[in-house]
Amino acid sequence: MNPSLLAAVAQLAPTVDGARNREQIAALTADAARSGARLVVFPEESMLLAGEVEGRLGEVVDAEWPLFLAQLSLLAVEHELWIIAGGYEPTGSDRPYNTLVVVNPRGEVVESYRKLHLYDAFTYRESDYVTGGTELPPVVLIEGVAVGLVNCYDIRFPELSRDLVARGADVLSVSAAWVAGARKEAHWETLVKARAIENTCWVLASSSTSPECIGNSLVIDPMGVERAGLGPVASGVALVEISLDRTAEVRETLPALANRRLTTSVAVSTPTAAVPAL
């Protein structure tokens, strides 16, 4: 029998108040733990709604980042589970990294990922206040299940997800603050399901309900079946057993990965300037 992992996606509405955000994270982690979760995935920006900060963002991030990490560490130890969550990591400037961290049940930050694809699209300019990462996201072994990290806009770049699966990921953990707009909710659902179907893997997709974001956190199985979802509710958790037996079953029926005829490699390139909207 292959490993399984009871995992939760958490949904919340972060604000510019770091202490309030930590309270929400604590409450949702406790909810997930009471249901037996061994992993809980939080959205991008769980630490802080950076785009709404007044004054120097760098100063706020310098103060909030260590408090955020300390809180995640305490919660992981208290509830004896793994946590994946998104925050803003100091760079020494007013343009922090948008970073996902993975914390184990001993309270250790075992991996982190600085967002590669900054959201410079649909008239938004994340690169105006965030520094892009320079390294590919990691794959983390969590109780026998390999989990690859994806941060929001990354989901639009299938080569990133395929690279994670090629490196052994059984699950794509997506932390997002998916901005609302025409066709945007349809894009979110389509992209999350597509990444699951084309890679025959599980997807845990946690999305923020902060102002202008859609929520609609989802768990999709390797055949593209929605196993759980939270819709637009302001706050909540959804739990699913991530079964690698299910993955093996799907890959026997649909051996798309084994049937590949193309060999590809992925490397991080220098970002190009955004193209003005016409």
Side-chain angles (χ1 to χ4, degrees):
M1 179 177 293
N2 290 303
S4 63
L5 176 69
L6 189 60
V9 290
Q11 189 161 288
L12 71 154
T15 70
V16 295
D17 184 343
R20 173 58 184 150
N21 299 339
R22 292 191 294 275
E23 289 176 1
Q24 292 187 75
I25 291 168
L28 292 167
T29 301
D31 286 348
R34 279 192 291 270
S35 298
R38 302 295 304 134
L39 165 68
V40 57
V41 178
F42 284 94
E44 177 187 27
E45 289 198 311
S46 291
M47 173 183 123
L48 187 73
L49 196 60
E52 302 297 324
V53 169
E54 296 182 1
R56 293 190 58 187
L57 179 58
E59 292 181 354
V60 176
V61 167
D62 286 345
E64 291 294 332
W65 176 251
L67 298 175
F68 176 66
L69 294 185
Q71 172 79 329
L72 296 181
S73 178
L74 287 170
L75 291 171
V77 171
E78 177 183 356
H79 297 292
E80 299 181 333
L81 47 61
W82 293 74
I83 299 174
I84 298 174
Y88 288 96
E89 177 186 0
T91 60
S93 77
D94 282 330
R95 293 175 60 243
Y97 293 116
N98 182 336
T99 300
L100 302 181
V101 294
V102 183
V103 183
N104 70 16
R106 293 187 298 276
E108 301 162 336
V109 177
V110 295
E111 282 289 1
S112 64
Y113 165 52
R114 295 167 175 169
K115 187 179 185 181
L116 278 175
H117 298 103
L118 300 185
Y119 182 53
D120 288 357
F122 293 100
T123 74
Y124 196 88
R125 291 278 303 174
E126 186 179 11
S127 62
D128 285 348
Y129 64 95
V130 171
T131 297
T134 59
E135 297 183 4
L136 292 168
V139 176
V140 187
L141 192 64
I142 298 178
E143 301 190 3
V145 176
V147 179
L149 302 187
V150 178
N151 192 333
C152 198
Y153 192 43
D154 285 336
I155 200 75
R156 290 188 181 272
F157 301 87
E159 60 275 20
L160 182 142
S161 294
R162 174 53 58 89
D163 178 67
L164 287 166
V165 172
R167 288 190 276 129
D170 305 303
V171 178
L172 299 176
S173 174
V174 184
S175 296
W178 200 263
V179 179
R183 293 175 292 280
K184 291 293 298 301
E185 186 169 338
H187 283 198
W188 168 251
E189 294 183 6
T190 300
L191 289 162
V192 170
K193 289 180 179 179
R195 298 297 86 85
I197 293 166
E198 69 197 7
N199 293 299
T200 53
C201 71
W202 291 84
V203 178
L204 293 165
S206 170
S207 179
S208 167
T209 55
S210 60
E212 301 183 353
C213 291
I214 68 169
N216 197 22
S217 298
L218 296 165
V219 181
I220 310 298
D221 84 358
M223 191 59 88
V225 177
E226 182 178 329
R227 295 291 183 171
L230 288 169
V233 300
S235 179
V237 295
L239 281 89
V240 169
E241 183 177 4
I242 302 299
S243 167
L244 296 194
D245 283 337
R246 171 63 173 164
T247 304
E249 172 189 288
V250 170
R251 289 180 177 177
E252 182 176 357
T253 302
L254 176 61
L257 295 176
N259 292 159
R260 283 176 296 172
R261 297 292 304 279
L262 302 177
T263 300
T264 60
S265 61
V266 175
V268 179
S269 65
T270 301
T272 56
V275 177
L278 298 177

